[in-house]
């Protein structure tokens, strides 16, 4: 294997949750040279996570992004359904669904199994990192590492520091992101941080425009891609993220920041109909399953 990045990442990394985001995070740390353990809720979920990660690894090999073969890279990956398998990790990144009680219980469970010297991070895209830190025994060793979907292609990680995050972790987290070959933007904890707050604001306005009949989803997205050089339009991006996920974020931001983040009725109706975006085959656009 070739050394891809100059800066080191932790040698042994855990990821709690092997969905789209968790699998992408695991893939990123594997490519940076770490041994990675992914913990899922049950056997079928763990098998699905392994398939996702190995598919991403295979694509990286096909592109020539890394040397070696799939078997060599897969040897550095462990799938588990047991939290105790995270005990040897230097860093664990939580990537469970965006629900407060689930995040808190997941982080507390992981922390119980980690040594006092380990670091813990959340991949939350909007929930209060301050609030999560206050539920932990070692909040000074906790921060937000907000990766973006799809992780293998994204060059950005939002590092979110709580008021409790220790100075050593503030420095290490940026080094880790650079070690992954990505760019860190550092923000202090605030509702929606920087990326979700801005991204959701644009998406909500685009959805209101569809609701009001201003233009078609394709034309709204083309206006932003061609006029403002967005790599993907706000409606297509909402389909990628998931309308249900963005609805939850918008509801949280509306509670914290006011009515300007209130979800449009069209968004609520689409979620109620199961039109969640790419994962359901239909959102603002349609997709082959």
């Amino acid at each position: 294997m070739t050394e891809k990045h100059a800066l080191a990442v932790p040698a042994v990394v855990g990821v709690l949750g092997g969905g789209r985001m968790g699998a992408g995070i695991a893939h990123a740390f594997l490519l940076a040279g770490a041994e990675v353990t992914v913990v899922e809720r049950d056997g079928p979920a763990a098998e699905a996570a392994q398939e996702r990660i190995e598919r991403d690894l295979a694509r990286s090999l096909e592109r020539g992004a890394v040397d070696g073969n799939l078997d060599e890279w897969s040897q550095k990956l462990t799938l588990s359904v047991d939290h105790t398998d995270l005990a040897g990790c230097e860093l664990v990144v939580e990537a469970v669904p965006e629900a407060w009680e689930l995040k808190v219980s997941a982080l507390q469970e992981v922390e119980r199994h980690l040594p006092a010297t380990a670091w813990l991070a959340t991949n939350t895209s909007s929930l209060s990192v301050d609030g999560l830190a206050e539920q932990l025994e070692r909040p000074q060793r906790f921060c937000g590492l907000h990766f973006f979907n799809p992780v293998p292609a994204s060059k950005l990680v939002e590092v979110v520091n709580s008021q409790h995050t220790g100075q050593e972790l503030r420095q290490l987290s940026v080094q880790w992101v650079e070690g992954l070959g990505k760019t860190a933007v550092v923000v202090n904890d605030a509702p929606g941080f920087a990326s979700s707050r801005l991204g959701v604001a644009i998406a909500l306005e685009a959805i209101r425009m569809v609701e009001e009949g201003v233009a078609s989803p394709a034309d709204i997205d083309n206006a932003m891609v061609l006029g403002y050089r967005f790599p993907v339009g706000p409606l297509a991006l909402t389909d990628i993220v998931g309308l249900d996920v963005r609805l939850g974020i918008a509801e949280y931001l509306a509670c914290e920041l006011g009515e300007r983040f209130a979800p449009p009725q069209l968004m609520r109706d689409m979620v109620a109909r199961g039109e969640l975006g790419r994962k359901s085959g239909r959102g603002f656009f349609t997709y082959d399953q």
Side-chain angles (χ1 to χ4, degrees):
M1 298 178 190
T2 60
E3 188 68 26
K4 185 175 174 59
H5 307 301
L7 293 176
V9 298
V12 185
V13 175
V15 180
L16 183 63
R20 184 188 297 271
M21 291 303 300
I25 294 167
H27 170 264
F29 278 103
L30 283 166
L31 261 58
E35 294 184 6
V36 178
T37 296
V38 178
V39 172
E40 258 292 1
R41 63 184 181 276
D42 55 36
E47 291 177 7
Q50 183 164 1
E51 290 176 2
R52 292 186 191 99
I53 298 165
E54 291 185 344
R55 182 169 60 244
D56 285 342
L57 286 171
R59 289 170 178 166
S60 295
L61 288 163
E62 289 170 4
R63 294 196 309 270
V66 292
D67 297 329
N69 59 60
L70 185 58
D71 287 341
E72 291 173 347
W73 287 97
S74 296
Q75 288 175 9
K76 298 173 72 68
L77 172 66
T78 300
L79 274 296
S80 175
V81 296
D82 189 346
H83 287 79
T84 63
D85 287 336
L86 298 172
C89 294
E90 299 172 33
L91 165 68
V92 173
V93 182
E94 166 273 310
V96 303
E98 199 78 348
W100 175 261
E101 292 183 358
L102 179 59
K103 292 277 191 190
V104 169
S105 63
L107 289 165
Q108 289 177 337
E109 177 67 16
V110 170
E111 189 184 44
R112 278 195 287 272
H113 295 289
L114 292 180
T117 56
W119 308 102
L120 183 58
T122 176
N123 184 53
T124 183
S125 58
S126 65
L127 298 178
S128 170
V129 177
D130 278 341
L132 292 172
E134 289 164 2
Q135 308 301 313
L136 299 173
E137 295 293 326
R138 298 185 290 274
Q140 74 279 9
R141 304 189 74 83
F142 174 73
C143 71
L145 290 177
H146 177 206
F147 289 79
F148 288 76
N149 188 22
V151 177
S154 174
K155 295 298 183 182
L156 176 66
V157 179
E158 194 171 31
V159 176
V160 186
N161 293 316
S162 82
Q163 59 183 331
H164 307 284
T165 304
Q167 189 59 40
E168 183 180 6
L169 181 54
R170 289 170 185 258
Q171 296 172 350
L172 284 173
S173 56
V174 173
Q175 293 177 17
W176 295 336
V177 172
E178 293 172 351
L180 296 174
K182 301 182 186 295
T183 298
V185 295
V186 181
V187 300
N188 293 319
D189 186 45
F193 317 137
S195 59
S196 292
R197 188 164 168 175
L198 289 169
V200 170
I202 294 169
L204 292 176
E205 192 58 31
I207 296 169
R208 291 187 191 102
M209 291 170 67
V210 175
E211 187 175 57
E212 295 165 7
V214 174
S216 69
D219 284 341
I220 291 169
D221 273 11
N222 281 336
M224 301 308 293
V225 171
L226 301 177
Y228 288 86
R229 297 187 179 181
F230 279 34
V232 62
L235 298 171
L237 182 57
T238 297
D239 279 356
I240 293 170
V241 173
L243 272 79
D244 53 338
V245 174
R246 281 212 148 160
L247 175 60
I249 296 171
E251 289 175 332
Y252 169 73
L253 293 177
C255 289
E256 296 293 323
L257 299 174
E259 282 299 304
R260 67 186 187 276
F261 285 98
Q265 188 59 46
L266 174 61
M267 189 181 199
R268 295 187 184 279
D269 292 344
M270 291 176 69
V271 171
R273 292 195 297 265
E275 297 172 6
L276 308 181
R278 281 188 177 272
K279 60 187 172 185
S280 69
R282 183 177 180 84
F284 291 99
F285 304 95
T286 56
Y287 307 90
D288 293 332
Q289 290 290 78

